[in-house]
Amino acid sequence: DIVMTQSPLSLPVTPGEPASISCRSNQSLLHRDGSTHLDWYLQKPGKSPQLLIYLVSNRASGVPDRFSGSGSATDFTLKISRVEAEDVGIYYCMQALQTGFGQGTRLEIK
Amino acid sequence: VQLQESGPGLVKPSETLSLTCTASGASMSKYYWTWIRQSPGKGLDWIGYISPTGNTVYNATLKSRVTISTDTSNNQASLKLTSVTAADTALYYCATGGYDPFWTGWNVWGRGTTVTV
């Protein structure tokens, strides 16, 4: 089974400052079609999760460009260039080869 | 596109949990459907998915109890989970996604429905 590990699990950030979340898998997420199946989701308080990033670095429709994803194979990063108050919530990475989520990273405003 | 989960909010132990996810605004016949749950105060737990061709993949820990199916004529997907226990108490989400031609992510989510065992 593919295991996803995120860090940190809690991330206090000052508005306007950058933030970074790491996600690692115990197996390569390279799909047979050549793409890497790693997504990022944000669950805002009291809301359903929403897709932020798919295939490592592609922003979903409507996602601000302050969000960016990078990485390859087993090591991935979500970056927020300048955190805003509306970015509060729990961020999950997800491997889409078999489907499975990381533990989640709770971003809070300092 | 919008998704709406529906079903009983209370299920007795050992019985079968049955939920339906109805899509509106577009046909989902070419998309994957997935069910994901979230126990109170916990993270996201993937249950399984069904492809447009009807192929299903389930979480290994739930595989013996889960069935996911679709009704394309009604633009719906269904989840059945047998022999439920208190551990199955959760907020259940459906979501859709697919390949266009590469993976698009689970890009449409329902609001979720709470099931208590």
Side-chain angles (χ1 to χ4, degrees), chain A residues 4-98:
Chain A
M4 308 299 291
T5 303
Q6 290 181 228
S7 64
L9 299 185
S10 179
L11 183 57
V13 184
T14 300
E17 293 296 305
S20 179
I21 300 170
S22 172
C23 175
R24 291 183 174 173
S25 60
N26 65 344
Q27 299 178 33
S28 172
L29 301 185
L30 183 65
H31 190 267
R32 59 180 181 273
D33 65 11
S35 64
T36 300
H37 280 213
L38 187 283
D39 303 336
W40 290 94
Y41 296 82
L42 165 60
Q43 186 173 30
K44 295 184 177 182
K47 300 294 186 181
S48 304
Q50 62 183 91
L51 177 66
L52 287 178
I53 302 282
Y54 62 97
L55 295 179
V56 179
S57 59
N58 295 275
R59 279 188 299 276
S61 176
V63 174
D65 60 7
R66 64 178 182 276
F67 290 92
S68 64
S70 63
S72 62
T74 62
D75 201 349
F76 307 94
T77 302
L78 175 71
K79 292 184 178 179
I80 309 172
S81 58
R82 295 174 304 279
V83 170
E84 298 186 4
E86 66 179 22
D87 301 335
V88 164
I90 303 176
Y91 290 79
Y92 295 93
C93 63
M94 189 203 82
Q95 56 87 2
L97 287 184
Q98 302 168 357

Side-chain angles (χ1 to χ4, degrees), chain B residues 79-91:
Chain B
L79 168 69
K80 292 189 186 300
L81 183 64
T82 62
S83 305
V84 298
T85 69
D88 296 310
T89 293
L91 178 58

Side-chain angles (χ1 to χ4, degrees), chain A residues 37 39 41 43 48 98-99, chain B residues 38 46 93 99 103 106 110:
Chain A
H37 280 213
D39 303 336
Y41 296 82
Q43 186 173 30
S48 304
Q98 302 168 357
T99 304
Chain B
Q38 188 169 35
W46 171 68
Y93 295 103
Y99 288 83
W103 173 244
W106 298 116

Side-chain angles (χ1 to χ4, degrees), chain B residues 97-108:
Chain B
Y99 288 83
D100 187 23
F102 296 101
W103 173 244
T104 64
W106 298 116
N107 53 14
V108 181

Side-chain angles (χ1 to χ4, degrees), chain A residues 39 41 49-51 94, chain B residues 1-5 21-24 26-36 48-50 52 70 75-77 93-99 103-110:
Chain A
D39 303 336
Y41 296 82
Q50 62 183 91
L51 177 66
M94 189 203 82
Chain B
V1 178
Q2 291 186 324
L3 301 178
Q4 178 67 59
E5 302 90 345
C21 178
T22 302
S24 59
S27 171
M28 293 289 106
S29 62
K30 296 182 180 180
Y31 292 86
Y32 287 64
W33 300 74
T34 190
W35 288 92
I36 291 161
Y49 68 73
I50 186 167
T70 54
N75 226 13
Q76 293 178 329
Y93 295 103
C94 66
T96 60
Y99 288 83
W103 173 244
T104 64
W106 298 116
N107 53 14
V108 181
W109 290 66

